Amino acid sequence: MLNQNNVILGQNRSAIRELFEYAKKRKTEIGEENVFDFSIGNPSVPPPVEVETALSDLINTASFEELHGYTSAHGCYSVRKVIADYLNGKFNTSLNAECLYMTCGAAASLTITLNALLNEGDEVIVFVPYFPEYKVYTEHARAKFVAVKCEEKTFLPDLNALKNTLSPATKAVIINSPNNPSGVVYGEEIIKNIAEILGDFYKKTGNAVYLISDEPYRELVYDGITVPFIMNYYSRSIVCYSYSKSLSLAGERIGYIAVNNAMEDFLEVYAAVCGAGRSLGFVCAPSLFQKLIERVCGITSDISVYERNRNLLYRALIEYGYEVVKPDGAFYMFVKSPEVDDKAFVERAKRYELLIVPGECFGYKGYVRVSYCVNTDVIERALPAFKSLAESYKLI
Ligand code: PLP
Protein backbone atom coordinates (compact mmCIF):
# COMPACT_ATOMS: atom_id res chain seq x y z
CA MET A 1 0.00 0.00 0.00
CA LEU A 2 1.18 3.51 -0.76
CA ASN A 3 1.67 6.16 1.86
CA GLN A 4 -1.94 7.23 2.23
CA ASN A 5 -1.10 10.59 3.80
CA ASN A 6 0.80 11.51 0.67
CA VAL A 7 -1.87 10.11 -1.66
CA ILE A 8 -4.42 12.33 0.08
CA LEU A 9 -2.13 15.36 0.02
CA GLY A 10 -1.50 14.85 -3.69
CA GLN A 11 -5.18 14.38 -4.47
CA ASN A 12 -6.33 17.40 -2.49
CA ARG A 13 -4.60 20.34 -4.00
CA SER A 14 -4.55 23.38 -1.69
CA ALA A 15 -7.51 25.71 -2.19
CA ILE A 16 -5.05 28.43 -3.21
CA ARG A 17 -3.59 26.28 -5.98
CA GLU A 18 -7.13 25.28 -6.96
CA LEU A 19 -8.07 28.94 -7.41
CA PHE A 20 -4.82 29.61 -9.26
CA GLU A 21 -5.75 26.86 -11.76
CA TYR A 22 -9.33 28.16 -11.98
CA ALA A 23 -7.94 31.65 -12.75
CA LYS A 24 -5.85 30.27 -15.63
CA LYS A 25 -8.89 28.50 -17.09
CA ARG A 26 -11.18 31.50 -16.63
CA LYS A 27 -8.64 33.81 -18.31
CA THR A 28 -8.66 31.66 -21.44
CA GLU A 29 -12.47 31.68 -21.42
CA ILE A 30 -13.18 35.41 -20.94
CA GLY A 31 -9.83 37.12 -21.46
CA GLU A 32 -7.06 37.87 -19.04
CA GLU A 33 -8.14 41.47 -18.50
CA ASN A 34 -11.55 40.39 -17.22
CA VAL A 35 -10.35 38.15 -14.41
CA PHE A 36 -9.17 39.72 -11.14
CA ASP A 37 -6.88 37.14 -9.66
CA PHE A 38 -6.07 37.92 -6.03
CA SER A 39 -5.46 34.30 -5.15
CA ILE A 40 -1.73 33.70 -5.00
CA GLY A 41 1.36 35.36 -3.56
CA ASN A 42 3.40 35.50 -6.75
CA PRO A 43 5.33 38.81 -6.79
CA SER A 44 4.23 41.15 -9.59
CA VAL A 45 7.19 43.51 -9.25
CA PRO A 46 10.20 42.41 -11.34
CA PRO A 47 13.49 41.62 -9.59
CA PRO A 48 15.73 44.68 -9.20
CA VAL A 49 18.08 45.52 -12.06
CA GLU A 50 21.03 44.39 -9.89
CA VAL A 51 19.72 40.80 -10.20
CA GLU A 52 19.79 40.90 -13.97
CA THR A 53 23.23 42.52 -14.04
CA ALA A 54 24.68 40.04 -11.56
CA LEU A 55 23.14 37.08 -13.39
CA SER A 56 24.49 38.07 -16.78
CA ASP A 57 27.87 38.86 -15.27
CA LEU A 58 27.95 35.44 -13.60
CA ILE A 59 26.91 33.66 -16.77
CA ASN A 60 29.60 35.49 -18.75
CA THR A 61 32.43 35.11 -16.29
CA ALA A 62 32.01 32.12 -13.97
CA SER A 63 33.04 28.58 -14.85
CA PHE A 64 30.34 25.99 -15.50
CA GLU A 65 31.28 24.18 -12.28
CA GLU A 66 30.73 27.39 -10.33
CA LEU A 67 27.42 28.05 -12.05
CA HIS A 68 25.95 24.60 -12.26
CA GLY A 69 28.00 22.20 -10.15
CA TYR A 70 27.20 20.92 -6.68
CA THR A 71 28.10 23.20 -3.82
CA SER A 72 28.72 22.12 -0.21
CA ALA A 73 25.49 20.67 1.13
CA HIS A 74 25.00 23.60 3.50
CA GLY A 75 25.90 26.13 0.79
CA CYS A 76 28.98 27.99 -0.47
CA TYR A 77 31.09 29.39 2.33
CA SER A 78 31.46 32.80 0.64
CA VAL A 79 27.68 33.14 0.25
CA ARG A 80 26.97 32.19 3.86
CA LYS A 81 29.66 34.61 5.01
CA VAL A 82 28.14 37.50 3.05
CA ILE A 83 24.71 36.78 4.54
CA ALA A 84 26.07 36.46 8.09
CA ASP A 85 27.98 39.77 7.73
CA TYR A 86 24.88 41.43 6.34
CA LEU A 87 22.71 40.23 9.24
CA ASN A 88 25.34 41.28 11.79
CA GLY A 89 25.57 44.75 10.25
CA LYS A 90 21.82 45.16 10.24
CA PHE A 91 20.83 43.53 13.52
CA ASN A 92 23.97 43.71 15.63
CA THR A 93 24.25 39.93 15.94
CA SER A 94 27.44 37.84 16.00
CA LEU A 95 26.58 35.25 13.39
CA ASN A 96 29.15 33.59 11.17
CA ALA A 97 29.01 31.45 8.05
CA GLU A 98 28.69 28.32 10.24
CA CYS A 99 25.26 29.54 11.44
CA LEU A 100 23.84 29.61 7.90
CA TYR A 101 22.42 26.80 5.80
CA MET A 102 21.35 27.63 2.23
CA THR A 103 17.96 26.25 1.16
CA CYS A 104 15.51 26.05 -1.71
CA GLY A 105 13.31 28.85 -0.29
CA ALA A 106 11.30 29.22 2.90
CA ALA A 107 9.37 26.00 2.32
CA ALA A 108 12.62 24.04 2.45
CA SER A 109 13.90 26.15 5.35
CA LEU A 110 10.80 25.18 7.31
CA THR A 111 10.70 21.48 6.45
CA ILE A 112 14.40 21.13 7.23
CA THR A 113 14.13 23.03 10.51
CA LEU A 114 11.07 21.10 11.64
CA ASN A 115 12.62 17.76 10.74
CA ALA A 116 15.79 18.81 12.54
CA LEU A 117 13.98 19.59 15.78
CA LEU A 118 11.04 17.22 15.99
CA ASN A 119 10.58 13.74 17.33
CA GLU A 120 7.37 11.76 17.05
CA GLY A 121 4.74 13.16 19.41
CA ASP A 122 6.35 16.60 19.86
CA GLU A 123 4.06 19.57 19.55
CA VAL A 124 4.48 22.67 17.38
CA ILE A 125 2.50 25.78 18.25
CA VAL A 126 1.30 28.00 15.44
CA PHE A 127 -0.87 31.12 15.62
CA VAL A 128 -4.15 31.25 13.73
CA PRO A 129 -4.55 32.34 10.96
CA TYR A 130 -1.48 30.55 9.59
CA PHE A 131 0.25 29.64 6.33
CA PRO A 132 -1.44 26.29 5.60
CA GLU A 133 1.73 24.37 4.79
CA TYR A 134 2.87 24.60 8.44
CA LYS A 135 0.41 21.85 9.24
CA VAL A 136 1.59 19.69 6.34
CA TYR A 137 5.27 20.09 7.27
CA THR A 138 4.69 19.53 10.99
CA GLU A 139 2.63 16.41 10.50
CA HIS A 140 5.10 15.06 7.96
CA ALA A 141 7.70 15.32 10.72
CA ARG A 142 5.32 13.13 12.84
CA ALA A 143 4.65 15.91 15.30
CA LYS A 144 1.37 17.39 16.50
CA PHE A 145 0.21 20.68 15.04
CA VAL A 146 -1.27 22.89 17.76
CA ALA A 147 -3.14 26.01 16.69
CA VAL A 148 -3.34 28.93 19.14
CA LYS A 149 -5.64 31.85 18.54
CA CYS A 150 -4.76 35.46 17.88
CA GLU A 151 -6.52 38.50 19.40
CA GLU A 152 -9.80 39.15 17.61
CA LYS A 153 -9.19 42.71 16.38
CA THR A 154 -5.41 42.99 16.09
CA PHE A 155 -4.60 39.50 14.84
CA LEU A 156 -1.60 39.51 17.19
CA PRO A 157 -0.88 36.30 19.17
CA ASP A 158 -3.07 35.78 22.23
CA LEU A 159 -0.37 35.55 24.88
CA ASN A 160 -2.57 33.97 27.54
CA ALA A 161 -3.61 31.32 25.08
CA LEU A 162 0.08 30.70 24.33
CA LYS A 163 0.90 30.35 28.05
CA ASN A 164 -1.99 27.95 28.57
CA THR A 165 -1.06 25.82 25.58
CA LEU A 166 2.61 25.23 26.38
CA SER A 167 3.09 21.64 27.52
CA PRO A 168 5.98 19.25 28.18
CA ALA A 169 5.52 18.12 24.58
CA THR A 170 5.96 21.62 23.09
CA LYS A 171 9.15 21.62 21.03
CA ALA A 172 8.69 24.71 18.86
CA VAL A 173 6.61 27.80 18.20
CA ILE A 174 6.41 29.18 14.67
CA ILE A 175 5.86 32.90 14.17
CA ASN A 176 5.37 34.59 10.83
CA SER A 177 5.70 38.35 10.64
CA PRO A 178 4.84 40.15 8.38
CA ASN A 179 2.03 37.63 8.36
CA ASN A 180 0.46 35.61 5.62
CA PRO A 181 -2.59 35.95 5.49
CA SER A 182 -3.28 38.90 7.81
CA GLY A 183 -0.45 41.28 6.79
CA VAL A 184 0.04 42.04 10.50
CA VAL A 185 3.57 42.80 11.74
CA TYR A 186 4.58 41.74 15.26
CA GLY A 187 6.17 44.72 17.02
CA GLU A 188 8.93 44.62 19.59
CA GLU A 189 6.58 44.30 22.57
CA ILE A 190 4.90 41.15 21.29
CA ILE A 191 8.25 39.56 20.44
CA LYS A 192 9.57 40.42 23.90
CA ASN A 193 6.45 38.94 25.48
CA ILE A 194 6.69 35.71 23.52
CA ALA A 195 10.40 35.44 24.42
CA GLU A 196 9.59 36.03 28.09
CA ILE A 197 6.83 33.41 28.13
CA LEU A 198 9.08 30.78 26.57
CA GLY A 199 11.99 31.78 28.84
CA ASP A 200 9.80 31.51 31.98
CA PHE A 201 8.45 28.18 30.82
CA TYR A 202 12.02 26.87 30.49
CA LYS A 203 12.95 28.16 33.96
CA LYS A 204 9.88 26.58 35.54
CA THR A 205 9.80 23.25 33.73
CA GLY A 206 13.20 22.75 32.09
CA ASN A 207 11.42 22.33 28.73
CA ALA A 208 13.35 24.11 25.99
CA VAL A 209 11.12 25.51 23.25
CA TYR A 210 12.61 26.69 19.95
CA LEU A 211 11.22 29.81 18.32
CA ILE A 212 11.11 29.53 14.54
CA SER A 213 10.61 32.78 12.67
CA ASP A 214 9.33 32.27 9.15
CA GLU A 215 10.11 35.52 7.44
CA PRO A 216 9.87 35.56 3.66
CA TYR A 217 8.17 38.97 3.92
CA ARG A 218 10.69 40.63 6.29
CA GLU A 219 11.45 43.58 3.99
CA LEU A 220 7.87 44.05 2.78
CA VAL A 221 6.73 46.57 5.39
CA TYR A 222 5.09 49.96 5.01
CA ASP A 223 4.92 53.36 6.73
CA GLY A 224 8.51 52.98 7.97
CA ILE A 225 7.69 50.03 10.25
CA THR A 226 10.52 47.66 11.16
CA VAL A 227 10.40 43.96 11.98
CA PRO A 228 12.26 42.96 15.17
CA PHE A 229 14.94 40.32 14.64
CA ILE A 230 14.09 37.43 16.97
CA MET A 231 17.72 36.51 17.68
CA ASN A 232 18.02 39.74 19.65
CA TYR A 233 15.23 38.64 22.00
CA TYR A 234 15.42 34.87 22.34
CA SER A 235 18.48 32.69 22.13
CA ARG A 236 16.80 29.42 21.11
CA SER A 237 15.73 30.95 17.81
CA ILE A 238 15.97 29.95 14.17
CA VAL A 239 15.20 32.19 11.19
CA CYS A 240 13.71 30.65 8.06
CA TYR A 241 14.27 33.14 5.28
CA SER A 242 13.62 33.24 1.56
CA TYR A 243 14.37 35.56 -1.36
CA SER A 244 11.13 34.53 -3.10
CA LYS A 245 9.29 37.72 -2.25
CA SER A 246 11.99 40.28 -1.40
CA LEU A 247 13.80 39.73 -4.73
CA SER A 248 10.80 38.38 -6.70
CA LEU A 249 12.58 35.06 -7.26
CA ALA A 250 9.83 32.69 -6.10
CA GLY A 251 10.43 30.15 -8.86
CA GLU A 252 14.20 30.04 -8.40
CA ARG A 253 14.00 28.47 -4.92
CA ILE A 254 16.60 30.19 -2.84
CA GLY A 255 16.68 31.06 0.85
CA TYR A 256 18.44 30.12 4.06
CA ILE A 257 18.17 28.93 7.64
CA ALA A 258 20.02 30.98 10.26
CA VAL A 259 20.57 29.18 13.57
CA ASN A 260 21.26 31.50 16.49
CA ASN A 261 24.75 30.75 17.78
CA ALA A 262 23.75 32.19 21.17
CA MET A 263 21.70 29.08 21.94
CA GLU A 264 23.21 26.51 24.32
CA ASP A 265 22.91 23.57 21.98
CA PHE A 266 23.84 25.48 18.82
CA LEU A 267 26.29 22.91 17.44
CA GLU A 268 23.83 20.07 17.85
CA VAL A 269 20.95 22.05 16.33
CA TYR A 270 23.07 23.10 13.35
CA ALA A 271 24.16 19.48 12.87
CA ALA A 272 20.51 18.40 12.99
CA VAL A 273 19.69 21.00 10.32
CA CYS A 274 22.44 19.57 8.09
CA GLY A 275 21.20 16.04 8.83
CA ALA A 276 17.59 16.91 8.06
CA GLY A 277 18.60 18.57 4.79
CA ARG A 278 20.47 15.40 3.92
CA SER A 279 17.73 12.96 4.89
CA LEU A 280 15.11 14.99 3.03
CA GLY A 281 17.26 14.82 -0.10
CA PHE A 282 18.16 18.49 -0.46
CA VAL A 283 21.58 17.96 -1.95
CA CYS A 284 22.32 21.68 -2.07
CA ALA A 285 20.50 24.91 -2.88
CA PRO A 286 20.74 26.01 -6.55
CA SER A 287 24.37 26.99 -7.23
CA LEU A 288 23.71 29.85 -9.62
CA PHE A 289 21.27 31.51 -7.26
CA GLN A 290 23.55 31.09 -4.28
CA LYS A 291 26.22 32.98 -6.23
CA LEU A 292 23.66 35.59 -7.19
CA ILE A 293 22.73 36.17 -3.54
CA GLU A 294 26.39 36.69 -2.70
CA ARG A 295 26.29 39.68 -5.05
CA VAL A 296 22.87 41.18 -4.29
CA CYS A 297 22.39 40.42 -0.58
CA GLY A 298 20.55 43.33 1.04
CA ILE A 299 18.89 44.59 -2.14
CA THR A 300 15.11 44.26 -2.68
CA SER A 301 12.62 44.66 -5.48
CA ASP A 302 10.69 47.94 -5.60
CA ILE A 303 8.27 47.30 -2.76
CA SER A 304 6.72 50.77 -3.07
CA VAL A 305 4.38 49.18 -5.62
CA TYR A 306 2.91 46.92 -2.94
CA GLU A 307 2.51 49.87 -0.58
CA ARG A 308 0.66 51.78 -3.30
CA ASN A 309 -1.56 48.75 -3.92
CA ARG A 310 -2.26 48.37 -0.23
CA ASN A 311 -3.27 52.01 0.13
CA LEU A 312 -5.50 51.92 -2.92
CA LEU A 313 -7.25 48.69 -2.03
CA TYR A 314 -7.57 49.37 1.70
CA ARG A 315 -9.13 52.82 1.22
CA ALA A 316 -11.60 51.50 -1.35
CA LEU A 317 -12.65 48.43 0.62
CA ILE A 318 -13.26 50.51 3.75
CA GLU A 319 -15.28 52.99 1.68
CA TYR A 320 -17.41 50.13 0.31
CA GLY A 321 -18.21 48.99 3.86
CA TYR A 322 -15.93 45.96 4.21
CA GLU A 323 -14.22 45.26 7.54
CA VAL A 324 -10.51 44.96 6.86
CA VAL A 325 -7.45 44.29 9.03
CA LYS A 326 -5.07 47.09 7.96
CA PRO A 327 -1.90 45.33 6.82
CA ASP A 328 1.46 46.78 7.82
CA GLY A 329 3.38 44.35 5.69
CA ALA A 330 3.50 41.40 3.25
CA PHE A 331 1.08 41.76 0.34
CA TYR A 332 -2.09 40.28 1.76
CA MET A 333 -5.26 41.81 3.11
CA PHE A 334 -7.53 39.89 5.45
CA VAL A 335 -11.13 40.94 4.90
CA LYS A 336 -14.12 39.96 7.02
CA SER A 337 -16.67 37.99 5.06
CA PRO A 338 -20.01 39.84 5.00
CA GLU A 339 -21.69 36.46 5.57
CA VAL A 340 -20.72 33.83 8.14
CA ASP A 341 -19.66 31.33 5.50
CA ASP A 342 -16.44 32.64 3.93
CA LYS A 343 -16.58 29.94 1.24
CA ALA A 344 -20.00 31.16 0.13
CA PHE A 345 -18.59 34.70 -0.01
CA VAL A 346 -15.69 33.49 -2.15
CA GLU A 347 -18.14 31.76 -4.49
CA ARG A 348 -20.23 34.92 -4.78
CA ALA A 349 -17.07 36.97 -5.47
CA LYS A 350 -16.33 34.62 -8.38
CA ARG A 351 -19.54 35.83 -10.04
CA TYR A 352 -17.83 39.24 -10.21
CA GLU A 353 -14.64 37.55 -11.49
CA LEU A 354 -12.89 38.33 -8.18
CA LEU A 355 -10.71 35.44 -7.06
CA ILE A 356 -9.96 35.49 -3.34
CA VAL A 357 -9.10 32.77 -0.84
CA PRO A 358 -11.39 31.60 2.00
CA GLY A 359 -10.03 32.17 5.53
CA GLU A 360 -10.79 28.53 6.26
CA CYS A 361 -7.59 27.66 4.33
CA PHE A 362 -5.64 29.54 7.00
CA GLY A 363 -7.56 27.98 9.89
CA TYR A 364 -9.71 31.08 10.33
CA LYS A 365 -13.28 30.98 9.08
CA GLY A 366 -15.30 34.12 8.43
CA TYR A 367 -12.52 35.99 6.63
CA VAL A 368 -10.98 35.94 3.17
CA ARG A 369 -7.46 36.70 1.94
CA VAL A 370 -6.89 39.14 -0.91
CA SER A 371 -3.35 38.97 -2.39
CA TYR A 372 -2.57 42.41 -3.73
CA CYS A 373 0.79 41.54 -5.31
CA VAL A 374 -0.71 42.31 -8.71
CA ASN A 375 -0.17 45.15 -11.15
CA THR A 376 -1.81 48.29 -9.77
CA ASP A 377 -4.07 48.55 -12.81
CA VAL A 378 -5.62 45.17 -11.89
CA ILE A 379 -6.70 46.68 -8.57
CA GLU A 380 -7.99 49.83 -10.29
CA ARG A 381 -10.04 47.76 -12.70
CA ALA A 382 -11.25 45.39 -9.95
CA LEU A 383 -12.60 48.12 -7.67
CA PRO A 384 -16.01 48.38 -9.40
CA ALA A 385 -16.37 44.59 -8.95
CA PHE A 386 -15.54 44.87 -5.22
CA LYS A 387 -18.10 47.68 -5.04
CA SER A 388 -20.83 45.66 -6.77
CA LEU A 389 -20.05 42.72 -4.50
CA ALA A 390 -20.43 45.00 -1.45
CA GLU A 391 -23.72 46.30 -2.85
CA SER A 392 -24.98 42.74 -3.26
CA TYR A 393 -24.57 42.41 0.54
CA LYS A 394 -26.05 45.87 1.10
CA LEU A 395 -22.81 47.05 2.73
CA ILE A 396 -23.30 50.39 0.97
N1 PLP B 1 6.02 30.91 4.50
C1 PLP B 1 5.04 31.76 4.19
C2 PLP B 1 4.35 32.50 5.28
C3 PLP B 1 4.67 31.97 2.86
O1 PLP B 1 3.70 32.83 2.57
C4 PLP B 1 5.35 31.26 1.84
C5 PLP B 1 4.98 31.40 0.44
O2 PLP B 1 4.07 32.06 0.05
C6 PLP B 1 6.36 30.38 2.23
C7 PLP B 1 6.67 30.22 3.55
C8 PLP B 1 7.12 29.58 1.21
O3 PLP B 1 7.98 30.47 0.55
P1 PLP B 1 9.05 29.97 -0.55
O4 PLP B 1 8.46 30.26 -1.87
O5 PLP B 1 10.25 30.79 -0.30
O6 PLP B 1 9.28 28.54 -0.30
Side-chain angles (χ1 to χ4, degrees):
M1 190 163 81
L2 299 178
N3 178 315
Q4 288 307 297
N5 289 339
N6 284 332
V7 172
I8 292 165
L9 270 180
Q11 282 170 342
N12 300 333
R13 256 202 310 233
S14 85
I16 302 172
R17 287 269 148 196
E18 209 68 67
L19 269 165
F20 184 59
E21 296 306 324
Y22 172 84
K24 278 202 280 193
K25 181 173 143 278
R26 197 71 187 128
K27 282 173 189 171
T28 57
E29 284 166 3
I30 63 167
E32 188 147 349
E33 67 288 0
N34 298 313
V35 180
F36 310 118
D37 183 5
F38 297 101
S39 66
I40 202 162
N42 222 354
S44 58
V45 175
V49 65
E50 288 87 343
V51 164
E52 231 170 89
T53 312
L55 274 180
S56 59
D57 189 43
L58 275 165
I59 287 167
N60 290 326
T61 58
S63 70
F64 87 90
E65 288 98 332
E66 272 185 279
L67 294 178
H68 308 299
Y70 292 127
T71 69
S72 300
H74 49 322
C76 297
Y77 175 82
S78 53
V79 180
R80 291 182 288 118
K81 171 93 173 65
V82 162
I83 297 172
D85 289 347
Y86 167 75
L87 293 174
N88 293 339
K90 200 158 168 65
F91 303 115
N92 208 18
T93 43
S94 307
L95 301 170
N96 51 48
E98 281 70 34
C99 303
L100 273 290
Y101 180 97
M102 299 307 294
T103 65
C104 303
S109 302
L110 286 160
T111 49
I112 292 171
T113 301
L114 290 169
N115 277 278
L117 299 179
L118 298 173
N119 288 303
E120 191 160 359
D122 284 344
E123 293 181 0
V124 177
I125 293 179
V126 167
F127 296 102
V128 186
Y130 53 80
F131 177 59
E133 299 308 271
Y134 294 157
K135 188 165 192 291
V136 176
Y137 303 155
T138 300
E139 289 175 353
H140 176 259
R142 299 166 307 147
K144 190 171 165 210
F145 178 84
V146 181
V148 165
K149 67 188 175 76
C150 278
E151 303 278 357
E152 190 74 46
K153 288 276 176 238
T154 61
F155 282 85
L156 289 171
D158 181 328
L159 298 172
N160 280 327
L162 171 63
K163 268 186 219 161
N164 296 334
T165 309
L166 287 168
S167 86
T170 309
K171 181 60 81 60
V173 174
I174 303 179
I175 56 171
N176 168 224
S177 162
N179 186 266
N180 175 9
S182 71
V184 165
V185 175
Y186 299 179
E188 189 173 35
E189 199 187 325
I190 199 89
I191 297 294
K192 277 186 177 163
N193 286 334
I194 292 173
E196 195 180 310
I197 290 169
L198 300 185
D200 287 350
F201 184 67
Y202 179 62
K203 272 188 222 138
K204 264 192 230 135
T205 66
N207 289 310
V209 177
Y210 296 87
L211 185 56
I212 302 171
S213 181
D214 176 28
E215 37 191 75
Y217 303 97
R218 161 167 288 281
E219 293 82 7
L220 276 63
V221 281
Y222 315 120
D223 304 325
I225 276 181
T226 53
V227 183
F229 195 59
I230 48 158
M231 292 193 186
N232 290 329
Y233 302 88
Y234 189 70
S235 61
R236 248 181 218 100
S237 51
I238 300 174
V239 170
C240 291
Y241 185 82
S242 158
Y243 295 93
S244 293
K245 319 287 173 167
S246 61
L247 281 176
S248 309
L249 293 174
E252 305 297 355
R253 316 308 303 139
I254 187 77
Y256 62 78
I257 297 166
V259 181
N260 191 352
N261 50 0
M263 76 175 78
E264 266 169 50
D265 50 351
F266 164 72
L267 287 176
E268 209 185 351
V269 171
Y270 189 79
V273 163
C274 295
R278 181 177 168 193
S279 61
L280 290 166
F282 288 110
V283 175
C284 63
S287 301
L288 173 58
F289 282 84
Q290 287 193 50
K291 312 274 166 21
L292 171 80
I293 295 306
E294 184 173 347
R295 293 173 180 224
V296 301
C297 182
I299 293 170
T300 66
S301 303
D302 176 11
I303 62 149
S304 68
V305 176
Y306 301 132
E307 184 159 13
R308 193 164 68 233
N309 287 357
R310 178 202 65 160
N311 294 342
L312 180 66
L313 188 62
Y314 180 73
R315 267 191 229 121
L317 293 189
I318 294 291
E319 188 192 318
Y320 304 155
Y322 293 101
E323 259 184 63
V324 186
V325 184
K326 188 170 185 191
D328 288 322
F331 37 49
Y332 306 108
M333 213 170 273
F334 216 37
V335 181
K336 190 164 186 191
S337 167
E339 58 181 306
V340 178
D341 183 353
D342 48 290
K343 282 169 116 176
F345 176 51
V346 164
E347 284 310 308
R348 192 187 294 198
K350 270 189 189 166
R351 287 192 230 147
Y352 298 83
E353 307 303 342
L354 291 168
L355 306 184
I356 52 183
V357 183
E360 197 192 81
C361 294
F362 310 98
Y364 203 88
K365 288 185 184 169
Y367 275 73
V368 295
R369 186 191 76 174
V370 182
S371 290
Y372 56 83
C373 50
V374 294
N375 291 334
T376 307
D377 75 289
V378 175
I379 299 183
E380 283 161 350
R381 287 185 291 103
L383 290 186
F386 276 114
K387 191 169 183 200
S388 304
L389 179 61
E391 281 163 353
S392 81
Y393 283 102
K394 305 201 175 355
L395 298 181
I396 37 174

